Amino acid sequence: MRLFRPLIFACTAFLLTSSAAAIDAVRASEDIYIYSKKADLSAYNIAHNNYVRARDFAKSSGCSVYYDPKTASISIDEGQPYDASVETQPPVNTPKTTAKPTSQTIYINGKQTAIKGYNISGYNYFSLRDLGRALGWSTIYNGPQKRIEIDPASPYFEKNHNTIIYMYHAFTNDPAVLAANPTLYTSPWKLRCDIRNMRALGYTCISLEDYFHGKAEKGKKYFIITIDDGYLDNFLLAYPVFVEEKAPASIFSVVRELERGTPTFFNAEQARKMEQSGYVKVYAHNIDHIDCTTVSHEELNKELHRAYTALHTLLEPKTLFFAYPYGAYNESTYINVRENGFRLQMVQKRKFAADDVLVRNNVRYDSVMSKLVKKAYHN
């Protein structure tokens, strides 16, 4: 299964098919959710991708759908309501059938697209991944719950497998500390060298927020800097490097320490200063630095809700992302984190298919970036 198995739309029995050979279409097993509500949609899997009728999708999402026989085109408009008076007879869904490419033209919000589809049993079906991209709607495959979740209120997000996410923790100029714990500590000088070396290798430094909003272009190479825990040295030693190098970074703070102003962690005022610079965003490493897999669903829900609420109270409201303490997560924690409003989840190893789970690569003090990029996971 791919990380996301795109779905699709079909509109009416009017279609233009090509002479291409028919291929198998099998009923898909994934549920489809729109605005967090299960939609009455059935999908077909074609060549490892899911497809659904345009008319069914438009009805479920409240969009208008119109077939123009003069131009053999289908128009979908999110600004107009669905018209139930022109509904067509729904197709009979069989466990397995065949599909042939169709040459129907698709318009989204008045704009012609290059989206291609299939004809199944006299109806046109088109890729939900393509339509989600055209509409700008979040379209996420949720592996643990085996469902596709569409949220028109959130931006479209897709991995292009051209972005490395790096993970740091603490910073020091003490040679003895660096030698004793090169996995946890690095120096501000080394951080600066890492940024410059990545740029010399042809990678552009992009913020996690810009990556989420689709600003990592296909055909280019990017890297993202993340830091865990929120130690004071992040503010004192790493933050000046980000400003000097004009390099954005994301810090996942232990939120309770941020609230308390614990001396070894940066406080809310310092976090606001970093965010106001435009080079740093502060996100959640949970309310406490706990192994999320060791607590009950109810207890983790309280922790996540507390962290989410506190960050919105202490800092400027923004889309929030989450990094697991110790990198410990499972299918249950994934569901819980999503339900609490976090849009992306940072891990160190991918355990299941999910579009919003991102894999990070730890940077040691002795890491050589030219070697690290060759084995680094590209999101």
Side-chain angles (χ1 to χ4, degrees):
M1 182 185 295
R2 296 182 181 179
L3 288 188
F4 174 75
R5 304 174 68 182
L7 259 302
I8 305 190
F9 297 120
C11 191
T12 71
F14 297 97
L15 54 109
L16 296 174
T17 57
S18 73
S19 59
I23 60 176
D24 288 338
V26 180
R27 281 290 300 277
S29 58
E30 292 84 2
D31 290 326
I32 303 165
Y33 281 71
I34 302 177
Y35 286 116
S36 301
K37 183 180 179 180
K38 186 177 179 180
D40 185 20
L41 289 171
S42 60
Y44 279 100
N45 177 266
I46 303 172
H48 307 293
N49 294 293
N50 286 336
Y51 291 73
V52 68
R53 288 206 319 158
R55 180 164 295 283
D56 294 340
F57 180 86
K59 183 177 182 180
S60 297
S61 62
C63 293
S64 67
V65 58
Y66 172 72
Y67 176 75
D68 185 348
K70 294 181 180 179
T71 59
S73 64
I74 298 169
S75 297
I76 298 167
D77 191 338
E78 63 180 312
Q80 300 295 325
Y82 178 77
D83 184 359
S85 67
V86 294
E87 286 191 5
T88 59
Q89 184 69 26
V92 176
N93 294 312
T94 57
K96 184 176 181 179
T97 185
T98 56
K100 295 186 68 175
T102 177
S103 56
Q104 291 282 3
T105 301
I106 299 294
Y107 287 81
I108 301 294
N109 294 330
K111 183 178 180 181
Q112 183 175 344
T113 74
I115 296 172
K116 302 298 182 182
Y118 286 93
N119 167 246
I120 302 174
S121 302
Y123 293 88
N124 291 314
Y125 288 66
F126 301 91
S127 168
L128 182 61
R129 172 61 77 189
D130 290 341
L131 293 178
R133 186 185 299 111
L135 286 162
W137 292 358
S138 174
T139 309
I140 299 295
Y141 176 66
N142 173 341
Q145 293 177 293
K146 292 181 173 57
R147 67 195 198 188
I148 298 161
E149 300 179 0
I150 302 160
D151 184 2
S154 295
Y156 177 81
F157 169 73
E158 180 180 5
K159 299 175 185 176
N160 290 321
H161 308 292
N162 62 349
T163 304
I164 302 173
I165 304 178
Y166 288 124
M167 176 178 62
Y168 296 85
H169 287 84
F171 299 85
T172 182
N173 285 310
D174 188 332
V177 175
L178 292 168
N181 200 341
T183 300
L184 178 64
Y185 284 94
T186 195
S187 70
W189 174 83
K190 173 64 164 52
L191 174 63
R192 182 179 289 105
C193 289
D194 290 348
I195 294 170
R196 293 181 179 182
N197 286 336
M198 286 300 298
R199 286 171 168 164
L201 291 167
Y203 285 79
T204 297
C205 189
I206 188 174
S207 71
L208 190 58
E209 186 172 26
D210 282 349
Y211 176 76
F212 175 68
H213 283 90
K215 296 183 180 180
E217 301 176 29
K218 291 182 179 179
K220 295 185 178 181
K221 300 185 295 184
Y222 298 89
F223 70 103
I224 295 171
I225 299 171
T226 69
I227 305 174
D228 280 2
D229 302 329
Y231 295 115
L232 179 60
D233 57 56
N234 295 182
F235 173 73
L236 297 177
L237 300 179
Y239 167 57
V241 174
F242 300 139
V243 175
E244 292 166 11
E245 294 297 322
K246 295 181 171 56
S250 299
I251 302 178
F252 290 90
S253 171
V254 179
V255 180
R256 198 182 303 276
E257 308 298 351
L258 177 70
E259 281 185 308
R260 291 172 173 170
T262 306
T264 52
F265 293 79
F266 60 74
N267 57 37
E269 181 180 351
Q270 292 162 332
R272 284 192 290 271
K273 180 178 180 179
M274 288 190 288
E275 291 202 331
Q276 288 167 2
S277 74
Y279 291 108
V280 173
K281 294 289 185 182
V282 179
Y283 301 108
H285 205 34
N286 212 353
I287 191 72
D288 293 308
H289 200 280
I290 64 167
D291 182 333
C292 294
T293 66
T294 63
V295 296
S296 68
H297 182 88
E298 292 73 20
E299 184 60 31
L300 180 56
N301 185 66
K302 293 179 182 178
E303 291 262 334
L304 294 168
H305 178 73
R306 181 81 172 79
Y308 188 93
T309 303
L311 279 180
H312 276 303
T313 301
L314 295 168
L315 306 174
E316 289 295 320
K318 58 182 175 292
T319 302
L320 289 182
F321 312 131
F322 187 83
Y324 287 95
Y326 309 107
Y329 76 109
N330 54 32
E331 292 187 354
S332 178
T333 64
Y334 166 81
I335 295 169
N336 211 331
V337 170
R338 294 193 87 245
E339 288 176 346
N340 276 277
F342 295 97
R343 294 298 183 181
L344 296 176
Q345 302 184 32
M346 309 294 118
V347 302
Q348 278 79 67
K349 185 178 180 180
R350 193 169 74 93
K351 297 181 179 180
F352 46 77
D355 289 339
D356 49 353
V357 170
L358 304 181
V359 176
R360 295 188 293 170
N361 306 266
N362 189 48
V363 184
R364 296 167 52 96
Y365 176 60
D366 53 7
S367 293
V368 178
M369 304 311 285
S370 59
K371 295 181 179 179
L372 189 57
V373 294
K374 294 179 181 180
K375 61 180 181 180
Y377 187 96
H378 286 66
N379 294 274

